[in-house]
Amino acid sequence: MSLADFLDPLQRPLLTVLDTPVSWTEVLGFGSGALCVWLVARQHLANWPIGIANNVFFIMLFTQAGLYADAGLQVVFITLAAYGWWTWTHGGGPGSSLPVRRTTRTEWNRLLAAGAVGTLGLTLLLGRATDSTVPFWDALTTALSLMATYGQCRKRLESWWLWIAADLVYIPLYAHKDLYLTSLLYLGFLALCVAGLRNWSRDLAEGPPRPTAEVSAV
C-alpha cells in the first residue's frame, strides 16, 4: 500500500458541519489537539507524544486548505515537542521535574524581536511564493505559536497568554477557510488555555514541587 492509498481515506468527507464537509483528518486533529492542550494544562508528560500525532494530522489538513505556513509550522512543532519532552523530564535537575517560572525580560525581548522578524519575513514569503489568500494572518499565527511553544517547553507562565492571543486570531481565520470544526477546536483551546493559565499560576504561587522521579500524571 502506498502512502497516497493510506492518506486518501483520511481526507475523505466524514460528516458535514454548516454545509461544509469535514474529513477524518480534521476530526482526528480535533480530538488529539484537545487532549494535548488538556494534558499541558495538567502538566502531564503525555502531552508531547499526543501533540506530535496532532501535528501530523494538521500537516495534512493545512496543506489541503492552503495554509502553508501553518502546515510548515507543524514540522517545527514536532522538533520542539522532542525538545520540550526532554526539558520537562531533565530541565529541573536530577530527581525533579521542571518548575513553572515567569518569562524573564531578556527572554521577552528576544521573543518579541524574533516574532516581529518572523511575521514580516513569512508575510513576504507567503505573499510572493504561494497562493495564500491570508499571508499576514497565517504568518502572525505562526510566529505567535512558535513563541508560545518555546515558553511551553520551558514552562514559562506567560506562554499561555501567547497561546490565547494566537487562538483569538486562529478562530476567525479557520472559519474564513471553511474549517469550521477546527475553528470550534480552537475555541475549545482558548478555554483550555485560560484553565492552563490558572493552573500554572497556582503552581507558581505554591513554589517549586518536591523532588520526584518523574512528572506527575495527574
Side-chain angles (χ1 to χ4, degrees):
M1 177 182 291
S2 67
L3 180 60
D5 291 333
F6 173 76
L7 294 179
D8 184 61
L10 294 177
Q11 296 171 340
R12 292 175 183 171
L14 174 64
L15 50 89
T16 300
V17 177
L18 300 178
D19 296 325
T20 301
V22 177
S23 67
W24 268 109
T25 304
E26 193 168 358
V27 172
L28 292 171
F30 182 105
S32 59
L35 178 59
C36 176
V37 177
W38 183 81
L39 289 171
V40 174
R42 304 283 292 179
Q43 298 186 54
H44 195 303
L45 196 62
N47 86 85
W48 298 112
I50 297 296
I52 290 172
N54 176 254
N55 299 147
V56 172
F57 292 132
F58 277 162
I59 286 174
M60 295 185 288
L61 180 66
F62 294 150
T63 300
Q64 285 181 295
L67 294 169
Y68 303 111
D70 274 343
L73 176 63
Q74 305 308 309
V75 178
V76 180
F77 277 162
I78 291 173
T79 303
L80 287 173
Y83 167 69
W85 198 342
W86 185 92
T87 302
W88 277 35
T89 53
H90 298 85
S96 63
S97 60
L98 185 69
V100 176
R101 298 187 186 279
R102 290 194 174 277
T103 306
T104 65
R105 178 176 297 181
T106 299
E107 285 177 321
W108 267 126
N109 290 337
R110 291 174 178 173
L111 283 172
L112 292 174
V117 171
T119 299
L120 176 60
L122 281 173
T123 299
L124 294 174
L125 176 64
L126 293 171
R128 296 175 180 178
T130 74
D131 60 354
S132 174
T133 59
V134 285
F136 171 75
W137 299 110
D138 198 0
L140 177 62
T141 50
T142 298
L144 284 171
S145 296
L146 286 173
M147 292 164 65
T149 301
Y150 168 81
Q152 178 182 312
C153 289
R154 301 299 302 166
K155 278 197 180 179
R156 297 303 192 246
L157 177 67
E158 291 78 11
S159 65
W160 289 112
W161 286 112
L162 291 170
W163 276 126
I164 289 170
D167 289 344
L168 289 173
V169 181
Y170 274 130
I171 292 167
L173 176 62
Y174 291 145
H176 173 72
K177 283 290 185 176
D178 294 332
L179 298 174
Y180 295 113
L181 185 59
T182 302
S183 181
L184 180 62
L185 167 64
Y186 273 77
L187 186 61
F189 280 173
L190 183 60
L192 288 171
C193 285
V194 173
L197 177 63
R198 182 188 61 211
N199 291 341
W200 284 28
S201 296
R202 183 185 63 233
D203 289 348
L204 180 64
E206 291 174 352
R210 295 178 180 177
T212 56
E214 58 182 338
V215 175
S216 175
V218 294

